[in-house]
Amino acid sequence: LVTASFANPHIHVDKAFLAERMDRSRPRLWDDALDETIPLKREYTPEQLMESGSRIVEMAASFGHTCLRAFVDVDTIAGLRPVEAALEVKKKYAEVMDIRVCAFPQEAILRDPGTEDLLVRAMEMGADGVGGLPWIEWSDESMRKHIDIVFDIANRFRRDIHMLIDNNNDPTSRSIEFLADKVIRDGFDGRVTAGHVEALCVYDDVHATRVIRMIREAGIHIVSNPHISLSGRGRLNA
């Protein structure tokens, strides 16, 4: 039986295996686990990032993957070290794996001043796409500004966009709606992807129907990421 190979459109190669460096003896909430990554990111070394990146690519290849969209954090904590390492891993495994490096503002943009400039530098270094995380900004206005910044960078460097959207159970979280509205108004040739989109499952039916129609009209690709949205955060209704 011969089939097409697998593709993973959403994997955080810089944070792969970080759990091995955490205290796993006690239970923790999702946000607690994210907070624990911050001191670990401060201690990133090129050698460690290359080792973990190489390990995850070889593991993916062993399970039949030939294409990865590799998210790497770009923020004022780790700087551009994850991007540098991911680009080296991409080069190292070019004959084995098609790796697309996505520069991802894990700590937001407006909440982490300096990140916008780092995203621009990541594009100049050769990142293949620009990510976004608008829903963790403090206000709807800031979410819209976050989205505008990502689009400005993507347009400037002619890169694709992949945002992680509404990764929560909050029926007031509207960043997928803001993203769809932006694409409909400005257009982006089907080059926008949204991941997670979990708040959609807790919208009322009328609102959800309107937002789904917007997503369809905008031509946004959806990556549901069920191993996180369902298992990792227990959203059995997603």
Side-chain angles (χ1 to χ4, degrees), residues 26-39:
R26 62 179 183 83
R28 58 171 64 80
L29 297 175
W30 178 267
D31 289 341
D32 295 333
L34 285 179
D35 289 343
E36 287 184 45
T37 66
I38 292 176

Side-chain angles (χ1 to χ4, degrees), residues 10 12 71 104 132-135 162-166 175 193-196:
H10 178 179
H12 294 263
F71 281 72
F104 176 61
L133 193 66
W135 70 271
H162 191 152
M163 295 195 189
L164 305 190
I165 295 288
D166 299 327
S175 61
T193 301
H196 292 297

Side-chain angles (χ1 to χ4, degrees), residues 1-130:
L1 175 66
V2 178
T3 67
S5 62
F6 296 120
N8 187 332
H10 178 179
I11 185 168
H12 294 263
V13 293
D14 53 333
K15 290 183 287 209
F17 310 111
L18 274 188
E20 296 175 358
R21 301 170 57 198
M22 294 178 174
D23 176 8
R24 304 175 72 180
S25 64
R26 62 179 183 83
R28 58 171 64 80
L29 297 175
W30 178 267
D31 289 341
D32 295 333
L34 285 179
D35 289 343
E36 287 184 45
T37 66
I38 292 176
L40 296 175
K41 290 202 296 185
R42 289 197 180 100
E43 298 170 2
Y44 278 162
T45 65
E47 294 77 17
Q48 176 218 326
L49 289 165
M50 279 295 297
E51 188 278 331
S52 62
S54 298
R55 184 177 165 193
I56 200 68
V57 170
E58 291 179 12
M59 181 182 292
S62 74
F63 282 97
H65 291 74
T66 59
C67 183
L68 298 178
R69 176 166 283 176
F71 281 72
V72 286
D73 287 7
V74 173
D75 50 49
T76 59
I77 299 168
L80 293 168
R81 284 171 289 170
V83 176
E84 293 169 352
L87 291 172
E88 287 299 314
V89 170
K90 174 181 178 177
K91 187 186 304 181
K92 177 180 177 181
Y93 290 98
E95 295 185 2
V96 176
M97 190 76 62
D98 181 5
I99 300 174
R100 307 295 174 88
V101 177
C102 183
F104 176 61
Q106 174 69 73
E107 311 301 328
I109 297 177
L110 281 77
R111 285 176 55 183
D112 187 25
T115 294
E116 181 178 352
D117 291 339
L118 290 171
L119 287 170
V120 170
R121 289 171 59 191
M123 297 302 107
E124 293 170 343
M125 291 165 61
D128 302 288
V130 55

Side-chain angles (χ1 to χ4, degrees), residues 205-225:
D205 289 346
V206 174
H207 185 201
T209 298
R210 181 172 65 83
V211 173
I212 290 168
R213 290 178 62 187
M214 291 177 67
I215 293 169
R216 184 171 56 193
E217 182 174 340
I220 295 173
H221 308 292
I222 300 294
V223 176
S224 62
N225 201 359

